[in-house]
Amino acid sequence: MDITLVGPGRAGMAVAIAAVAAGHTITGVRGRSTAATESAAAAVGATPLTGESLGSGDLLVIAVRDDQIEPVSRELAPHSSGFSAAVHLSGLAPTTVLSPFAASGLAVGSFHPLQTLPTPEAGAAAIPGAWIGVTAQQPLRDKLHALADSMAAHPFDLPDEAKALYH
């Protein structure tokens, strides 16, 4: 799977590093600062993304703070035509925070590792064997389950309405 990461913090980079270890490609990384973006992109062999460009790929991963998912989605949705799906990594936020991407024709969902991710490297090392909550409709649901399986994690379906109790 070709994945672009928006938000190269602990969670985003942990998932990116684990995805690369599982044979996936991180095609681009976009962050708040040029230095953080370039460093994160170099760590996973990706292109640092600046300006409006998001590139293209199979999956756009939004790994920002919960309160920033919707504003970031509104900002980036007009530039997401090269993707078929967008997900966030929150275990609490509903998939509706990605509605700007859905309005642009992308499938949307969430992919939440039920695991502490204290650093990108420690988090990536902890993902194999961890449980990952998946919120998505078909066919994205199956793709996210396959992504989790490829990382030796255990995916389970997590309906939006159950997230508050789960989290």
Side-chain angles (χ1 to χ4, degrees), residues 96-156:
T96 55
V97 297
L98 297 172
S99 61
F101 289 115
S104 294
L106 279 66
V108 296
S110 68
F111 186 84
H112 181 258
L114 182 56
Q115 180 62 50
T116 56
L117 308 169
T119 67
E121 296 77 15
I127 287 178
W131 292 89
I132 296 185
V134 171
T135 308
Q137 299 297 315
Q138 294 291 14
L140 179 57
R141 177 199 170 273
D142 285 347
K143 290 178 182 178
L144 295 177
H145 274 254
L147 176 60
D149 287 339
S150 73
M151 293 189 280
H154 307 287
F156 66 96

Side-chain angles (χ1 to χ4, degrees), residues 4-14 29-32 37 40 61-65 72 76 89:
T4 292
L5 172 65
V6 175
R10 291 182 314 213
M13 285 302 292
V29 175
R30 180 182 175 136
R32 285 186 286 190
T37 299
V61 175
I62 307 300
V64 298
R65 291 188 339 244
V72 166
L76 299 180
L89 300 183

Side-chain angles (χ1 to χ4, degrees), residues 91-95 110 133-137 156-164 166:
L92 182 59
T95 58
S110 68
V134 171
T135 308
Q137 299 297 315
F156 66 96
D157 293 327
L158 177 60
D160 265 339
E161 58 273 7
K163 284 187 169 184
Y166 157 81

Side-chain angles (χ1 to χ4, degrees), residues 42-118:
V44 292
T47 300
L49 302 173
T50 58
E52 294 180 348
S53 174
L54 288 176
S56 63
D58 302 306
L59 186 63
L60 182 59
V61 175
I62 307 300
V64 298
R65 291 188 339 244
D66 287 7
D67 65 342
Q68 291 301 303
I69 298 170
E70 193 165 14
V72 166
S73 297
R74 279 194 307 271
E75 175 189 343
L76 299 180
H79 313 289
S80 63
S81 62
F83 295 88
S84 58
V87 299
H88 64 65
L89 300 183
S90 173
L92 182 59
T95 58
T96 55
V97 297
L98 297 172
S99 61
F101 289 115
S104 294
L106 279 66
V108 296
S110 68
F111 186 84
H112 181 258
L114 182 56
Q115 180 62 50
T116 56
L117 308 169

Side-chain angles (χ1 to χ4, degrees), residues 2-30:
D2 289 340
I3 300 167
T4 292
L5 172 65
V6 175
R10 291 182 314 213
M13 285 302 292
V15 169
I17 292 167
V20 168
H24 302 282
T25 302
I26 306 302
T27 56
V29 175
R30 180 182 175 136

